[in-house]
Amino acid sequence: MKTLDTSARGVYLICVTPFTDQGALDLASTDRMVDFCLEAGVTGLTLLGIMGEATKLTADESVQFVKQVLQRVQGKVPVVVGASAPGFAPMRELTRSVMDLGASGVMVAPPASVRTDDQIVAYFEMVNETLGADTPWVLQDHPVSTTVQMSTSVILRILKNSPRCVMLKHEDCPGLAKLSAIRAASDRGEVPRVSILTGNGGGLFLPEELSRGADGAMTGFAYPEMMVDVCAAHAQGDVERAHDLFDAYLPLARYEQQANVGLAVRKYIFAKRGVIASDAVRKPGPKLSAADVADIERLIARQTRRLAALG
Amino acid sequence: MKTLDTSARGVYLICVTPFTDQGALDLASTDRMVDFCLEAGVTGLTLLGIMGEATKLTADESVQFVKQVLQRVQGKVPVVVGASAPGFAPMRELTRSVMDLGASGVMVAPPASVRTDDQIVAYFEMVNETLGADTPWVLQDHPVSTTVQMSTSVILRILKNSPRCVMLKHEDCPGLAKLSAIRAASDRGEVPRVSILTGNGGGLFLPEELSRGADGAMTGFAYPEMMVDVCAAHAQGDVERAHDLFDAYLPLARYEQQANVGLAVRKYIFAKRGVIASDAVRKPGPKLSAADVADIERLIARQTRRLAALG
Amino acid sequence: MKTLDTSARGVYLICVTPFTDQGALDLASTDRMVDFCLEAGVTGLTLLGIMGEATKLTADESVQFVKQVLQRVQGKVPVVVGASAPGFAPMRELTRSVMDLGASGVMVAPPASVRTDDQIVAYFEMVNETLGADTPWVLQDHPVSTTVQMSTSVILRILKNSPRCVMLKHEDCPGLAKLSAIRAASDRGEVPRVSILTGNGGGLFLPEELSRGADGAMTGFAYPEMMVDVCAAHAQGDVERAHDLFDAYLPLARYEQQANVGLAVRKYIFAKRGVIASDAVRKPGPKLSAADVADIERLIARQTRRLAALG
Amino acid sequence: MKTLDTSARGVYLICVTPFTDQGALDLASTDRMVDFCLEAGVTGLTLLGIMGEATKLTADESVQFVKQVLQRVQGKVPVVVGASAPGFAPMRELTRSVMDLGASGVMVAPPASVRTDDQIVAYFEMVNETLGADTPWVLQDHPVSTTVQMSTSVILRILKNSPRCVMLKHEDCPGLAKLSAIRAASDRGEVPRVSILTGNGGGLFLPEELSRGADGAMTGFAYPEMMVDVCAAHAQGDVERAHDLFDAYLPLARYEQQANVGLAVRKYIFAKRGVIASDAVRKPGPKLSAADVADIERLIARQTRRLAALG
């Protein structure tokens, strides 16, 4: 098993959970998805997030799916599992279960019920106590889904208090100034330097975020090669090339990041690309209309042409 | 096992989950709590709600606690179990588990993510599908905790669509007009008549609600005999006596209904009354200050004097 | 004109705005209301709050109403005017206008758009700048209406930064621990001591709050004599008498504090008591049903009997 | 003065309010902005929205600014003014004032306090009554800023009830399915056909929205010519050309649509383009960092190159 630590960089893909047309877990597609991601050059995988339809899986299915992914990954990259839960007892149980299976760490977002700075800090003190000294964890800052607004100063307080928090999943959008401020604080030695992977609007600010000190992306676009290539170009100092690649995918990435329907878009593309057998989304979930499909097909065709032109 | 159906009336007590001072499940206190409730005249019990610290229990502890209660109740009154969950898969699993153990039904509140009327109605269509034809269920309308505002017309739409919804836990506060309107709709035959038990501000409007057609209370005051006696007096047509009793308890009931700290108040009183061995609340949870305890003791002393004066 | 400063204590009544049956400003009733309040022993008046239907008045009507009240008060007690506004420009204009008319100070609550501690503190820095050095102001902490949760530490930061903030209107409910903590901080000299008047659930915790160091109440119950008498008994050290009086009014106070319909209840009672000529509420606003009126009449009759028994 | 009616199409630009470096209203820049918009081919202007810093203007300044714009427009295009207000009295006053000055209509969004479908519908019944039979109005559906979620069925109920509602400003994001559904309802004759201008994420879905039946855009991008050209290409049936143009601007449009800082980005570009003299934003407002400016300059340079390549 690969360790999750503060040196993490590159692209952690937020995986979908593949189902058959009948709605059963599709383990063959799961294997294919893992292979696809590894071939695309991702440096980590994230399972059972919102886009992984975690709440539609039984406890047994969750374990089965995590097991299958870990088996296929064979320790080549770290695997992070979402562990946000309505209480600390289920969080502890889920964490122990997936860490025992071989996960590299867990990811936690605050619940909507915490509001003030002091409440947020107290919540993550409980998270530290719940996860224990052996579990590296990722702090997820995603106000759009949590409704919890964590200011820069609160994030710094959490980082100071949390020796096992190794990564910030930065999804506050827009969050460029926040990203700069957090990096500046670790540069000044005020807080430990953690890995920052961004998911802003599904990676819609990736090139700018890399310039602000992000270490990569943790998001779920159906073309992970885009993020891999953008990160690589940026790392080589070719910022314009990073933008060129990013811009070519931006119209489709934007379309895929639509709330609710976005998951159906993503599964449609993955299925079209042959990664998963079916684009089935479990109920309750979005369905694509004919107009949606026409939009997507047009955007893919345009993207293909644009990438060809770019070379 | 006692059936939960639309004829339910009287007092369904929202039970606390007793812990030892060390924080372990206290099954002896659980038995004592059941006996205490039955002796007080409650007509039902509700387990694993917010005030039951459900999210602080492991899955095993939840099962153990429900089992213990059911065993002790011996089918004398229906037992309802909270089944609100972040997704339909865990809701189905929890429901099956507790119904298999012998529960009489489950209670479901909508998650904060549903907002519009159509979203609320669609959510409860999924609830119906998830719980199946064999599980009677209680619709919980508690905007203070859920942030979901269900208008009268939405509740009527849900009742029309839900043959197995047998009870409304009415906690919208203030909700007197809503209660009147729902009763009027079932009187006119527009929707099936379900049982309505109220929890408004923890029962803080009980006499008025009984006059509007409520069938009783489902709440968690540490003096369930108050609700039992108020319901009895009201049923006998002695509305002034119902108010007299209610008013005697109101200052303490009001104090116990404070958000957050209320659970600690309740457990303190239950422990003081000898019902549970310890007033321990699991972390994260409120603690009483010396000033809080002084307040409670004063209110209990005053309540005792007032009840004596009333006779 | 009477000064508003940190020594304020007693009862500041939140006034209704009287209308005729046709919906026009009723200035004769306005005078009668002022006289009634002064005779009841209030030590201050608060105008143009939510319960004053401020947003249903034209700018001219607001000025006319404030003028009328100030003229009738003749400087006998301080008059505070609500100045919460969607922006700082209208806040400044409204403040200047009412201070020029002779108001003693203004009251400001934060808008829903500020969420984090830093945002809240920054907001009140702008408030200080907007109101200027000459305007004493009241910090209103009312999360139920604002959705803004101000922790104790944030309130202390605001008090440190705000030389002209002379009063905290404490309406966070439940807020007993918060009240104790703020008082403890000023006792330790960490922040200036400001007056704290409470409005918790419309004064539903008044005796307990006085014991925690509140200086009185700022709320709008239609029996201001209750608050006046409770404060007086408490100040004389007769805490049990304070509770006795409070408890006698509590059933009706609880009923009047219902969200939305509460204003109609209050105006009904004021009209019944002859203070205002009409209980008209401008649209959009609540209306009482026959069942509501029956509830109120029963509660008044019971209250009258209970007060007679108390002596 | 140009009428605002259901035939409106093209681009209604949400105008900024220009200030001098010292923060005063800049009327010369206001004139230049009007000229710039008209030359760019906009078909309407919208004043005093959130991006127009409406709440930072005194009542006098608002009138002065609206007057100046109307005078310069000379009736060439309709001018819409934002009239959302905390109450119906100020909404009526503001509306009368701007309609008297010569505005073509007003725009109203629901306040955060309305939540259920019935509350939303009742709110707009009051809006109809408040605005009267003579004022054409625009329904603004912008849940990101209002927190009010209006389902398709609620919007249809409002349109049925509102003879003077002539336009929907569609900003629910993502809202493609909603747009299709509303158009389908008017095609079936269930509701009157109103103009639909979109502002989705600041126009980030413009080509797709035009394909779904939108009549144009109402948003505030600092390159209004983009929207004008995209609408024109689309109207001519050259959908690929519309996408080509759109894609060239998308990276910058995305950057300008960032919450909070976006207004500073927009004013920076307008100032750089010589439209306004200063990029000053009144307090409280965002400021650009050096890193932000570097981002913008890079994006403008890339956009210029891309447009040159497109021809």
Side-chain angles (χ1 to χ4, degrees):
Chain A
M1 133 185 169
K2 198 84 174 194
T3 306
L4 180 72
D5 60 34
T6 59
S7 70
R9 50 195 303 115
V11 178
Y12 277 56
L13 197 78
I14 305 271
C15 294
V16 299
T17 302
F19 300 115
T20 66
D21 280 338
Q22 288 71 41
L25 264 190
D26 179 349
L27 297 178
S29 287
T30 301
D31 280 352
R32 236 177 1 253
M33 179 181 64
V34 169
D35 296 348
F36 169 83
C37 289
L38 294 174
E39 281 157 25
V42 308
T43 51
L45 293 176
T46 303
L47 310 181
L48 299 186
I50 295 170
M51 297 306 262
E53 300 178 69
T55 61
K56 302 176 197 165
L57 302 182
T58 65
D60 278 355
E61 287 174 330
S62 298
V63 166
Q64 209 181 349
F65 176 67
V66 171
K67 255 188 180 162
Q68 188 80 16
V69 170
L70 287 166
Q71 201 165 21
R72 192 73 176 188
V73 167
Q74 286 190 287
K76 287 172 194 154
V77 298
V79 175
V80 176
V81 181
S84 300
F88 293 106
M91 184 188 294
R92 182 183 290 112
E93 287 190 293
L94 179 57
T95 298
R96 283 189 186 161
S97 155
V98 298
M99 294 304 287
D100 285 350
L101 290 174
S104 306
V106 297
M107 182 158 72
V108 181
S113 54
V114 302
R115 288 287 301 267
T116 69
D117 284 17
D118 290 345
Q119 286 168 348
I120 295 168
V121 167
Y123 182 82
F124 283 103
E125 279 170 12
M126 281 298 302
V127 168
N128 282 323
E129 193 179 315
T130 301
L131 301 183
D134 294 334
T135 307
W137 63 276
V138 179
L139 171 60
Q140 185 176 18
D141 179 19
H142 194 205
V144 168
S145 67
T146 62
T147 75
V148 181
Q149 293 185 20
M150 300 198 278
S151 63
T152 299
S153 58
V154 153
I155 289 178
L156 297 180
R157 283 170 69 187
I158 296 169
L159 294 182
K160 269 183 216 166
N161 289 349
S162 307
R164 298 303 285 141
C165 176
V166 296
M167 186 186 285
L168 172 65
K169 178 165 196 254
H170 174 71
E171 304 188 77
D172 191 1
C173 181
L176 295 174
K178 197 172 178 176
L179 182 47
S180 295
I182 293 170
R183 269 295 171 252
S186 65
D187 288 350
R188 287 191 306 263
E190 293 169 16
V191 294
R193 190 192 192 282
V194 297
S195 171
I196 302 182
L197 301 189
T198 68
N200 249 352
L204 293 187
F205 290 84
L206 183 55
E208 287 86 357
E209 289 164 336
L210 292 171
S211 294
R212 304 281 178 128
D215 298 299
M218 186 192 280
T219 182
F221 188 38
Y223 291 87
E225 59 266 44
M226 180 272 268
M227 281 100 77
V228 171
D229 293 348
V230 167
C231 287
H234 205 281
Q236 288 157 18
D238 194 348
V239 178
E240 289 297 324
R241 173 74 184 170
H243 275 275
D244 286 346
L245 288 164
F246 177 78
D247 289 358
Y249 288 95
L250 179 57
L252 185 56
R254 161 207 64 126
Y255 199 89
E256 198 193 287
Q257 295 311 326
Q258 292 178 84
N260 301 320
V261 79
L263 175 61
V265 176
R266 183 172 299 168
K267 282 194 152 182
Y268 176 87
I269 302 175
F270 271 133
K272 184 184 168 78
R273 300 188 80 186
V275 179
I276 59 179
S278 162
D279 63 358
V281 171
R282 278 194 179 171
K283 287 203 300 181
K287 287 203 177 169
L288 300 181
S289 67
D292 295 333
V293 170
D295 284 343
I296 299 165
E297 292 292 347
R298 178 192 299 274
L299 290 168
I300 291 176
R302 291 181 53 81
Q303 177 176 292
T304 305
R305 287 201 299 273
R306 183 74 192 128
L307 286 168
L310 271 184
Chain B
M1 128 186 171
K2 198 85 174 195
T3 304
L4 180 72
D5 59 33
T6 59
S7 70
R9 51 194 305 116
V11 178
Y12 277 57
L13 197 78
I14 305 270
C15 295
V16 299
T17 302
F19 299 116
T20 65
D21 280 338
Q22 289 71 39
L25 264 190
D26 179 349
L27 297 178
S29 287
T30 301
D31 280 353
R32 232 171 11 247
M33 179 181 64
V34 169
D35 296 348
F36 169 83
C37 289
L38 294 175
E39 282 156 24
V42 306
T43 51
L45 294 177
T46 303
L47 310 181
L48 299 186
I50 295 171
M51 296 308 261
E53 301 179 71
T55 62
K56 303 176 197 165
L57 302 182
T58 64
D60 278 356
E61 286 173 332
S62 297
V63 166
Q64 209 182 348
F65 176 67
V66 172
K67 255 187 179 162
Q68 189 80 15
V69 170
L70 287 167
Q71 201 164 23
R72 192 72 175 190
V73 167
Q74 286 190 291
K76 288 171 193 154
V77 298
V79 175
V80 176
V81 181
S84 299
F88 293 106
M91 184 188 294
R92 183 183 290 112
E93 287 190 294
L94 179 56
T95 298
R96 282 190 186 161
S97 156
V98 299
M99 294 304 288
D100 286 350
L101 291 173
S104 306
V106 297
M107 181 159 71
V108 181
S113 53
V114 303
R115 289 285 301 266
T116 68
D117 284 16
D118 290 344
Q119 287 169 347
I120 295 168
V121 168
Y123 183 81
F124 283 103
E125 278 170 13
M126 280 297 302
V127 168
N128 282 323
E129 194 178 315
T130 300
L131 301 182
D134 295 333
T135 308
W137 64 275
V138 180
L139 171 60
Q140 184 177 18
D141 180 19
H142 193 206
V144 168
S145 67
T146 62
T147 75
V148 180
Q149 294 185 20
M150 299 197 278
S151 63
T152 300
S153 57
V154 153
I155 289 177
L156 298 180
R157 284 171 68 188
I158 297 169
L159 295 181
K160 269 183 215 166
N161 289 347
S162 306
R164 298 303 286 141
C165 177
V166 297
M167 185 186 286
L168 173 66
K169 177 164 197 252
H170 175 71
E171 304 188 76
D172 191 2
C173 182
L176 295 174
K178 197 171 178 176
L179 182 47
S180 294
I182 294 169
R183 270 295 171 251
S186 65
D187 288 351
R188 286 191 306 263
E190 293 169 15
V191 294
R193 190 192 192 283
V194 297
S195 171
I196 301 182
L197 301 188
T198 68
N200 249 353
L204 295 188
F205 290 84
L206 183 54
E208 286 88 355
E209 289 164 335
L210 292 171
S211 294
R212 304 281 178 127
D215 299 298
M218 185 193 280
T219 183
F221 188 38
Y223 292 84
E225 59 266 44
M226 180 273 268
M227 280 100 76
V228 170
D229 293 348
V230 168
C231 287
H234 204 281
Q236 289 155 17
D238 194 349
V239 178
E240 290 296 326
R241 172 74 183 170
H243 275 275
D244 286 345
L245 288 164
F246 177 78
D247 289 357
Y249 289 96
L250 179 57
L252 185 56
R254 160 207 63 126
Y255 198 89
E256 198 193 286
Q257 295 311 325
Q258 292 178 85
N260 301 319
V261 78
L263 175 61
V265 176
R266 182 174 299 168
K267 282 195 151 181
Y268 177 87
I269 302 174
F270 271 132
K272 184 184 168 79
R273 299 188 80 186
V275 179
I276 60 179
S278 162
D279 62 358
V281 172
R282 278 195 179 170
K283 286 204 299 181
K287 287 201 178 173
L288 299 181
S289 66
D292 296 332
V293 170
D295 283 343
I296 299 165
E297 292 292 346
R298 177 190 300 273
L299 290 168
I300 291 176
R302 292 180 53 81
Q303 176 176 292
T304 306
R305 288 201 299 274
R306 183 73 191 131
L307 286 168
L310 271 184
Chain C
M1 132 186 167
K2 197 86 174 192
T3 304
L4 179 72
D5 60 33
T6 59
S7 70
R9 50 194 307 114
V11 178
Y12 277 56
L13 197 78
I14 305 270
C15 294
V16 299
T17 302
F19 300 116
T20 65
D21 279 338
Q22 288 71 40
L25 264 190
D26 179 350
L27 297 177
S29 287
T30 301
D31 280 352
R32 230 170 16 246
M33 179 181 65
V34 169
D35 296 348
F36 169 82
C37 289
L38 294 174
E39 282 156 27
V42 306
T43 51
L45 292 177
T46 304
L47 310 181
L48 298 186
I50 295 171
M51 298 306 262
E53 302 178 70
T55 62
K56 302 176 198 165
L57 302 182
T58 64
D60 278 355
E61 286 173 332
S62 298
V63 166
Q64 209 182 350
F65 176 67
V66 171
K67 255 189 180 162
Q68 189 80 16
V69 170
L70 287 166
Q71 199 164 25
R72 192 73 174 189
V73 166
Q74 286 188 289
K76 287 171 194 154
V77 298
V79 175
V80 176
V81 181
S84 300
F88 293 106
M91 183 187 296
R92 182 182 292 111
E93 288 190 295
L94 179 57
T95 299
R96 283 190 186 161
S97 155
V98 299
M99 294 304 288
D100 285 350
L101 291 173
S104 307
V106 297
M107 181 158 71
V108 181
S113 53
V114 303
R115 288 286 300 268
T116 68
D117 284 16
D118 290 344
Q119 287 169 347
I120 296 168
V121 168
Y123 183 82
F124 283 102
E125 278 169 15
M126 281 297 303
V127 169
N128 282 323
E129 194 178 315
T130 300
L131 302 183
D134 294 333
T135 309
W137 63 276
V138 180
L139 171 60
Q140 184 176 18
D141 180 20
H142 193 206
V144 168
S145 67
T146 62
T147 76
V148 181
Q149 294 185 19
M150 299 198 278
S151 63
T152 299
S153 57
V154 154
I155 289 177
L156 297 180
R157 284 170 69 187
I158 297 169
L159 295 182
K160 269 182 217 169
N161 290 347
S162 306
R164 298 303 285 140
C165 176
V166 296
M167 185 186 287
L168 173 65
K169 176 162 198 256
H170 174 72
E171 303 188 77
D172 191 1
C173 182
L176 295 174
K178 196 171 178 176
L179 182 46
S180 294
I182 293 169
R183 269 293 171 252
S186 65
D187 288 351
R188 286 191 306 263
E190 293 169 16
V191 294
R193 190 191 192 285
V194 296
S195 170
I196 301 182
L197 300 188
T198 70
N200 249 352
L204 294 188
F205 290 85
L206 182 54
E208 287 87 356
E209 290 164 336
L210 292 171
S211 293
R212 304 282 177 127
D215 299 299
M218 185 192 281
T219 183
F221 188 38
Y223 292 85
E225 60 266 43
M226 180 272 269
M227 279 101 76
V228 170
D229 293 348
V230 167
C231 288
H234 205 280
Q236 288 155 18
D238 193 348
V239 179
E240 290 296 324
R241 173 74 184 169
H243 275 275
D244 286 346
L245 288 163
F246 178 78
D247 289 358
Y249 288 96
L250 179 56
L252 185 57
R254 161 206 64 126
Y255 198 89
E256 198 193 285
Q257 295 311 324
Q258 293 178 85
N260 302 319
V261 79
L263 175 62
V265 176
R266 182 172 300 169
K267 282 194 152 181
Y268 177 88
I269 302 175
F270 272 133
K272 184 184 167 77
R273 301 188 80 185
V275 179
I276 59 180
S278 161
D279 63 359
V281 172
R282 277 195 179 169
K283 286 204 302 179
K287 287 203 178 169
L288 300 181
S289 66
D292 295 333
V293 170
D295 283 343
I296 299 165
E297 292 292 347
R298 177 191 299 273
L299 290 168
I300 292 176
R302 291 181 54 82
Q303 176 176 292
T304 306
R305 288 201 299 273
R306 184 73 194 130
L307 287 168
L310 270 185
Chain D
M1 132 185 169
K2 197 85 173 192
T3 305
L4 180 72
D5 60 32
T6 59
S7 70
R9 48 194 307 115
V11 177
Y12 277 56
L13 197 78
I14 306 271
C15 294
V16 299
T17 303
F19 300 115
T20 66
D21 280 338
Q22 288 71 40
L25 264 190
D26 179 349
L27 297 178
S29 287
T30 300
D31 280 351
R32 224 160 29 238
M33 179 180 65
V34 169
D35 296 347
F36 169 82
C37 290
L38 294 175
E39 282 156 26
V42 307
T43 51
L45 293 177
T46 304
L47 309 180
L48 299 186
I50 296 171
M51 296 307 261
E53 301 179 69
T55 61
K56 302 175 197 165
L57 302 182
T58 64
D60 278 355
E61 287 173 330
S62 298
V63 166
Q64 207 181 351
F65 175 68
V66 171
K67 255 188 181 162
Q68 188 80 16
V69 170
L70 287 167
Q71 199 164 24
R72 191 73 175 189
V73 166
Q74 287 190 287
K76 288 172 193 154
V77 298
V79 175
V80 176
V81 181
S84 300
F88 293 106
M91 183 187 296
R92 182 182 292 110
E93 287 190 295
L94 179 57
T95 298
R96 282 189 188 162
S97 155
V98 299
M99 294 303 288
D100 286 350
L101 291 173
S104 307
V106 298
M107 180 159 71
V108 182
S113 54
V114 303
R115 288 287 301 267
T116 69
D117 284 17
D118 290 345
Q119 286 169 348
I120 296 168
V121 168
Y123 183 81
F124 284 101
E125 278 169 15
M126 281 298 302
V127 168
N128 282 323
E129 194 178 315
T130 300
L131 301 183
D134 294 333
T135 308
W137 63 277
V138 180
L139 171 60
Q140 185 177 19
D141 179 20
H142 193 206
V144 168
S145 67
T146 61
T147 76
V148 180
Q149 294 185 20
M150 300 198 278
S151 64
T152 299
S153 56
V154 153
I155 289 177
L156 298 180
R157 285 169 69 187
I158 297 169
L159 295 182
K160 268 183 218 168
N161 290 348
S162 305
R164 298 303 285 140
C165 176
V166 296
M167 185 186 287
L168 173 65
K169 178 163 196 254
H170 174 71
E171 304 189 76
D172 191 2
C173 182
L176 295 174
K178 196 171 179 176
L179 182 47
S180 294
I182 294 169
R183 270 296 170 250
S186 66
D187 288 350
R188 285 191 306 264
E190 294 169 16
V191 294
R193 191 193 191 283
V194 297
S195 171
I196 302 182
L197 302 188
T198 68
N200 249 352
L204 294 187
F205 290 84
L206 182 55
E208 287 87 356
E209 290 164 336
L210 292 172
S211 293
R212 304 281 178 127
D215 299 299
M218 186 192 281
T219 182
F221 188 38
Y223 292 86
E225 59 266 45
M226 181 272 270
M227 280 101 75
V228 171
D229 293 347
V230 166
C231 288
H234 205 281
Q236 290 156 17
D238 193 349
V239 178
E240 290 297 324
R241 173 73 184 171
H243 275 275
D244 286 345
L245 288 163
F246 177 78
D247 289 357
Y249 289 96
L250 179 57
L252 186 56
R254 160 206 64 127
Y255 198 90
E256 198 193 287
Q257 295 311 324
Q258 294 178 82
N260 301 319
V261 79
L263 175 61
V265 176
R266 182 173 299 169
K267 283 195 152 181
Y268 176 87
I269 301 174
F270 271 132
K272 184 183 167 78
R273 299 189 80 185
V275 179
I276 59 179
S278 161
D279 63 358
V281 172
R282 277 195 180 169
K283 287 204 300 180
K287 286 203 177 169
L288 299 181
S289 66
D292 296 333
V293 170
D295 283 344
I296 299 165
E297 291 292 347
R298 177 191 299 275
L299 290 168
I300 291 176
R302 292 181 54 80
Q303 176 175 293
T304 306
R305 288 202 298 274
R306 184 73 193 130
L307 286 169
L310 271 184

